[in-house]
């Protein structure tokens, strides 16, 4: 029997391997990835500064350690160039050779790529993105070399705000630029976003909203001149782009796997092609893209059972997201897309609870701002219907 092959060494790939090994210690398992296959939790990158964690302290294990721990062959620094679904084999390339690899079942855990804006100027190539440990090392290196530590962040979404709070807490001077009129525009109603923004501004973070970066130019002393569409300009030591991620779909698409925003799967995490599955940031499960830790863990547990012969659908309970912004502690459970809701808000001394109520008076989501509100997380989560119910 051919091995089960996992493409990708991110949180999703390792989670599937780990869950599968709990059920089946013997079946041959291979992981193929383009990087070093270092195991680490990507969410820790956006708050490692305040925790005083050097990039070298973030990894949980290298390829050798993970290979031994999971009884799995890891083929790192290798690229899967194509999938032949009919033959159930892959074309794998390294810098020196190309070969084929057969599989019995294939798991696409290929993640997502940072969206990059088209920005002019001779400094645009120096704009950092942080989507992996190597990116983070480069960002931290440049930051350490600069005295003033003025950082301009493109994007006031979840990652942009987390980085802003983390940097500000370590003495950097942070400006956050976004085309939206408010931070966390996709997650928060306007009135909560306004309070959230005020809390972050009180730490010294500057928000420049309703505009975008047009040009980044190098100036003297290694600084950057950041020109905005509204005519304003900022001076920065480091520029960081955090405007979002795009699921990696090219490998799947070229193989004939159906894709939309992500790699399309049913609740069994199956694609349209036999024995090919998708998990993690690349997977669009039942029309939902949820690039967060809890959905990945739910997917990994379900898929491990399926790979072991027990066909299992993923269960999505209500899964709140904790935003790592200590200046404004925030927990968000977005209401499902397409559901009409009205917000009911309860003001507290140190924040607020905003409940998303549908036309049937059912709680469909919530926002908890502040430490006191955060204590309601478990109580409210239990009241929200599952996104994908557990199979009976």
């Amino acid at each position: 029997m051919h091995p089960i092959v996992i493409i990708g060494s991110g949180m999703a790939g390792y989670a599937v391997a780990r869950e599968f090994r709990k059920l089946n210690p013997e079946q041959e398992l291979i992981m193929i990835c383009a990087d070093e296959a270092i195991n680490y939790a990507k969410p820790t990158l956006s708050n490692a500064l305040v925790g005083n964690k050097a990039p070298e302290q973030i990894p949980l294990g290298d390829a050798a350690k993970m290979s031994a721990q999971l009884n799995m062959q890891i083929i790192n620094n290798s690229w899967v160039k194509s999938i032949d679904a009919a033959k159930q084999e892959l074309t794998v390339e390294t810098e020196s050779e190309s070969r084929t690899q057969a599989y019995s079942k294939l798991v696409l855990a290929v993640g997502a790529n940072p969206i990059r804006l088209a920005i002019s100027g001779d400094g645009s190539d120096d704009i950092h993105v942080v989507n992996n440990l190597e990116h983070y090392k480069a960002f931290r290196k440049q930051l350490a070399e600069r005295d003033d530590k003025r950082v301009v962040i493109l994007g006031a979404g979840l990652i942009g705000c987390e980085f802003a709070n983390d940097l500000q807490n370590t003495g950097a001077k942070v400006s956050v630029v976004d085309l939206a009129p408010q931070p966390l525009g996709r997650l928060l109603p306007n009135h909560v976003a306004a309070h959230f923004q005020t809390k972050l501004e009180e730490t010294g973070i500057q928000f420049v909203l309703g505009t975008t970066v047009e040009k980044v130019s190098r100036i003297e002393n290694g600084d950057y001149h950041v020109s905005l569409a509204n005519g304003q300009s900022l001076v920065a030591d480091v520029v960081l782009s955090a405007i979002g991620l795009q699921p990696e779909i090219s490998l799947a698409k070229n193989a004939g796997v159906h894709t939309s925003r992500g790699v399309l799967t049913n609740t069994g995490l199956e694609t349209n092609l036999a024995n090919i599955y998708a998990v993690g940031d690349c997977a669009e499960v039942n029309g939902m893209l949820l690039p967060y830790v809890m959905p990945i863990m739910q997917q990994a547990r379900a898929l491990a059972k399926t790979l072991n012969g027990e066909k299992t659908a993923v269960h999505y309970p209500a899964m709140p997201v904790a935003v790592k912004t200590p200046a404004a502690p925030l927990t968000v459970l977005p209401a499902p897309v397409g559901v009409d809701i009205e917000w009911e808000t309860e003001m507290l001394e140190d924040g607020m609870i905003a409940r998303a109520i549908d036309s049937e008076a059912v709680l469909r989501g919530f926002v908890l701002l502040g430490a006191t509100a955060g204590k309601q997380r478990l109580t409210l989560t239990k009241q929200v219907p599952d996104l994908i119910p557990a199979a009976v």
Side-chain angles (χ1 to χ4, degrees):
M1 187 180 180
H2 291 308
I4 293 171
V5 176
I6 299 168
I7 306 176
S9 62
M11 183 182 284
Y14 272 122
V16 171
R18 200 174 290 113
E19 294 298 327
F20 180 73
R21 277 292 176 244
K22 290 176 187 174
L23 304 173
N24 187 329
E26 299 305 327
Q27 160 74 40
E28 189 183 355
L29 201 53
I30 294 176
M31 176 179 281
I32 305 173
C33 60
D35 59 16
E36 295 286 346
I38 292 167
N39 180 30
Y40 64 98
K42 193 161 72 171
T44 62
L45 299 180
S46 61
N47 70 338
L49 275 161
V50 82
N52 211 17
K53 267 198 167 183
E56 304 74 50
Q57 295 173 295
I58 292 171
L60 304 168
D62 61 12
K65 179 180 177 180
M66 300 313 299
S67 176
Q69 197 179 92
L70 295 167
N71 183 26
M72 171 171 72
Q73 184 187 355
I74 297 178
I75 304 170
N76 57 7
N77 299 313
S78 301
W79 293 264
V80 177
K81 287 297 182 184
S82 62
I83 300 166
D84 187 328
K87 291 183 180 175
Q88 294 203 175
E89 66 180 30
L90 313 171
T91 301
V92 184
E93 288 186 2
T94 65
E95 287 181 355
S96 57
E97 63 169 358
S98 177
R99 63 182 189 81
T100 58
Q101 171 64 58
Y103 64 85
S104 59
K105 293 183 173 68
L106 180 65
V107 179
L108 302 174
V110 291
N113 302 312
I115 297 166
R116 291 180 184 264
L117 294 176
I119 294 170
S120 65
D122 60 3
S124 62
D125 288 345
D126 299 347
I127 297 172
H128 290 269
V129 292
V130 176
N131 192 42
N132 60 42
L133 195 54
E134 289 307 307
H135 289 160
Y136 185 66
K137 284 178 184 174
F139 170 68
R140 280 283 291 266
K141 182 174 183 291
Q142 186 173 348
L143 192 64
E145 291 167 353
R146 308 298 294 165
D147 292 330
D148 293 330
K149 300 192 182 344
R150 295 160 300 184
V151 183
V152 171
I153 297 177
L154 284 56
L158 189 145
I159 300 301
C161 287
E162 288 186 348
F163 265 109
N165 199 173
D166 195 40
L167 286 158
Q168 192 71 32
N169 278 339
T170 53
K173 301 178 185 76
V174 183
S175 301
V176 183
V177 182
D178 200 304
L179 195 54
Q182 63 183 53
L184 296 175
R186 293 181 185 174
L187 290 176
L188 303 183
N190 297 350
H191 64 293
V192 183
H195 280 265
F196 176 77
Q197 182 178 334
T198 300
K199 289 283 188 188
L200 264 59
E201 285 173 339
E202 285 169 1
T203 71
I205 295 167
Q206 177 191 9
F207 284 94
V208 188
L209 302 170
T211 190
T212 187
V213 173
E214 284 193 337
K215 188 175 183 180
V216 176
S217 309
R218 293 181 184 140
I219 52 177
E220 67 278 354
N221 308 323
D223 294 347
Y224 298 94
H225 186 269
V226 181
S227 307
L228 308 182
N230 67 359
Q232 276 181 266
S233 63
L234 302 163
V235 176
D237 294 276
V238 185
V239 182
L240 172 65
S241 178
I243 57 169
L245 297 171
Q246 212 157 20
E248 171 50 62
I249 62 171
S250 56
L251 179 67
K253 199 172 182 177
N254 291 339
V257 174
H258 292 166
T259 61
S260 179
R261 294 172 302 157
V263 178
L264 293 173
T265 81
N266 59 16
T267 56
L269 303 166
E270 301 167 301
T271 68
N272 59 299
L273 298 183
N275 298 316
I276 299 181
Y277 307 83
V279 291
D281 289 0
C282 71
E284 187 174 342
V285 183
N286 241 27
M288 287 181 279
L289 273 174
L290 297 175
Y292 305 113
V293 174
M294 285 175 70
I296 288 173
M297 294 307 151
Q298 293 293 116
Q299 292 169 14
R301 282 190 280 270
L303 184 54
K305 289 180 181 176
T306 296
L307 296 174
N308 197 42
E310 183 190 340
K311 202 166 181 180
T312 304
V314 69
H315 168 221
Y316 278 174
M319 296 177 285
V321 178
V323 184
K324 300 189 292 294
T325 46
L330 186 67
T331 301
V332 184
L333 180 62
V337 177
V339 175
D340 287 331
I341 53 154
E342 288 193 9
W343 289 98
E344 292 180 0
T345 306
E346 178 186 342
M347 298 302 298
L348 305 169
E349 243 181 75
D350 64 343
M352 61 177 72
I353 299 172
R355 297 174 174 85
I357 309 293
D358 70 11
S359 56
E360 308 286 314
V362 175
L363 181 68
R364 302 304 295 270
F366 55 80
V367 180
L368 309 176
L369 179 63
T372 306
K375 293 173 184 173
Q376 294 298 311
R377 173 180 174 145
L378 205 57
T379 305
L380 291 175
T381 301
K382 288 175 179 173
Q383 298 172 28
V384 180
D386 290 355
L387 270 176
I388 298 177
V392 179

